[in-house]
Amino acid sequence: DFNNNGAVAFKGKTQRFASLPSLAPEGFEIEIVGDETTAFDNYYVRFEKINPTDSTGIWRETVQQGIKDTINTSTMPLVLVREADDTFTLRIQDWGKRTAGDEVSNPAPSFVGRSVRDLFLFRNRLGFIAGDAVIMSQSGDLFNHWPVTVAQVLDDGPIDLTAADSATDLHAATPFAGKLILWAEKKQLAIISDAILTPRSVAIETLSNYAASNA
């Protein structure tokens, strides 16, 4: 009666989110493939009940099961916190958690596996210099470097950029006159963007090519 379209089966993945049923078992997870020619647009969703007394619920974006979803806090910078009684506490900081995507659509921040050369604050983001990469946190959430969704690019999402010349080993970053100046041994670059710093509007441009001391 439905031209063989009365029932649809799912196993592991489906191409379109719109194909998912309105009801599913609690905790059921599935991968949305999207464009089958690339893995960069793949994401995962999980069915969660709204009311435990009935079967209604929603599909919520989630992370691929079985992959590492945290950053090793023992290799990250410590945080010095001023307490209410004017004392200071040096403590290990939680650096967020991968809650969406997989190792292709939401890879680990570029400072993972590298030495951090410099830290900076720029436009309400905490940033790191590591090798040829500039990594900045989510806007307003200084210790989170994971996008909360891979289904779209959010304006306040983390920023992870690599200098166009991969041989450029960055040493430091200095906020100046609304820009972020990047220092390398024989090159000076800048982070540029529109009035609002977003992952879609940001870029790195070369300012000059002078030898600079790292002392």
Side-chain angles (χ1 to χ4, degrees), residues 55-123:
S55 57
T56 59
I58 59 173
W59 291 97
R60 192 183 303 277
E61 190 175 355
T62 187
V63 66
Q64 181 187 26
Q65 296 300 306
I67 64 173
K68 187 174 182 179
D69 58 7
T70 57
I71 296 172
N72 184 358
T73 58
S74 66
T75 61
M76 293 294 289
L78 301 177
V79 176
L80 188 63
V81 180
R82 182 177 180 178
E83 307 292 354
D85 59 357
D86 287 337
T87 62
F88 291 86
T89 302
L90 187 65
R91 72 184 187 196
I92 293 176
Q93 176 63 42
D94 177 16
W95 294 92
K97 187 175 182 179
R98 177 161 41 194
T99 58
D102 54 29
E103 293 177 342
V104 175
S105 60
N106 191 3
S110 293
F111 57 72
V112 174
R114 295 179 171 183
S115 297
V116 173
R117 291 282 186 88
D118 194 20
L119 287 80
F120 59 89
L121 286 171
F122 184 63
R123 297 195 187 182

